[in-house]
């Protein structure tokens, strides 16, 4: 499982940072890629990665500001142009209005897609658990921005323990149906009377990962709730230390506030994105340094950077 950042800038693109988008690559887990936000030019950024658009099965939108959604019509259209590849359906989750934006863009541009899009729109009253599959559950909660905006908490379900086949063989269990029984947690008795306790041969279940990806927001308790015990928290840092007042006025956060959220939530790791173009590289290292005084395991991400979870 990896996160690859496709756009880490705030508001408008700069040479170094494109507008918002990131890919949660779940290739080993479910052979899918989930996109979070899709600012203009996201498809160009994807060209510089190994991500195949057809593998993008779900897109989660945090809010309807242009720097988070203007890349959708282009990406969705290009996704159709993959000659000889199977056309797979796609799900889009986002605030009410996302469906009308996408369908209007496609209609007025005469774009017809050879695959289906399933829209899952929500508003203030229909948040909470927005998706559950056999491997993942996704929750959304409202943040505090200048328009309706959400953060997502992606929870991988606990991973089943694995069967230690070598140890079973060593214990004299003949390969065959007994293995299946033990794998299902059943204790068995061998012909010679040996009792095999399944629990001794199955490793303990491993806890699934928790990934929290927030949209634009002021510091709010909802961010903390979404990030409780998260393995990774992706938080905006449009502003730096001392800019708390201007951040509040514009509906954003500083690096220090992001760090406070990570600390209060007990998150393991904090990745800062949505970085203003005003910041030069020396400012970026200062952003990190300052945030680290509040939450040590912090990193300011770059476009195309890939982080393993
Ligand atoms: Zn915004």
């Amino acid at each position: 499982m990896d996160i690859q950042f496709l756009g880490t800038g705030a508001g408008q693109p700069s040479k170094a940072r494109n507008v918002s988008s990131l890919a949660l690559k779940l290739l080993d887990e479910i052979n899918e890629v989930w996109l979070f936000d899709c600012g203009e030019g996201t498809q160009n950024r994807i060209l510089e990665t190994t991500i195949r658009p057809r593998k993008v099965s779900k897109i989660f939108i945090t809010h309807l500001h242009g720097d988070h959604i203007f890349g959708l019509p282009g990406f969705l259209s290009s996704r159709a142009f993959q000659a000889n590849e199977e056309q797979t359906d796609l799900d889009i989750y986002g605030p009410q209005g996302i469906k009308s934006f996408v369908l209007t863009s496609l209609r007025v541009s005469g774009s017809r897609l050879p695959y289906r899009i399933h829209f899952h729109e929500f508003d203030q009253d229909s948040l909470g658990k927005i998706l559950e599959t056999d491997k993942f559950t996704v929750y959304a909660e409202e943040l505090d921005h200048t328009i309706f905006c959400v953060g997502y908490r992606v929870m991988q379900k606990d991973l089943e323990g694995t069967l230690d086949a070598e140890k079973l063989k060593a214990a004299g269990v003949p390969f065959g149906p007994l293995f299946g029984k033990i794998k299902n947690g059943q204790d068995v008795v061998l012909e010679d009377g040996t009792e095999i306790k399944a629990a001794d041969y199955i490793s303990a279940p491993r806890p699934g990962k928790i990934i929290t990806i927030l949209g634009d927001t002021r510091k709010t308790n909802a961010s903390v709730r979404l990030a409780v015990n998260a393995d990774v928290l992706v938080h905006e840092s449009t502003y730096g230390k001392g800019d708390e007042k201007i951040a509040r006025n514009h509906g954003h956060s500083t690096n220090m506030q992001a760090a406070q959220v990570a600390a209060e939530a007990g998150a393991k790791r904090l990745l800062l994105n949505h970085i203003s173009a005003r910041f030069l590289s020396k400012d970026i290292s200062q952003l990190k340094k300052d945030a680290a005084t509040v939450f040590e395991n912090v990193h300011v991400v770059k476009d195309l950077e890939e982080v393993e979870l």
Side-chain angles (χ1 to χ4, degrees), residues 199-228:
D200 295 340
Y201 298 88
I202 300 173
S203 61
R206 282 175 295 144
K209 296 249 163 38
I210 301 173
I211 303 109
T212 302
I213 298 168
L214 303 185
D216 296 1
T217 188
R218 300 181 180 97
K219 184 169 187 288
T220 165
N221 289 333
S223 302
V224 178
R225 284 193 294 272
L226 286 165
V228 165

Side-chain angles (χ1 to χ4, degrees), residues 63 65 67-68 145-147 149 216 252 274:
H63 66 302
H65 276 155
D67 56 323
H68 295 254
H145 190 40
T146 54
I147 60 169
C149 179
D216 296 1
H252 289 291
H274 208 265

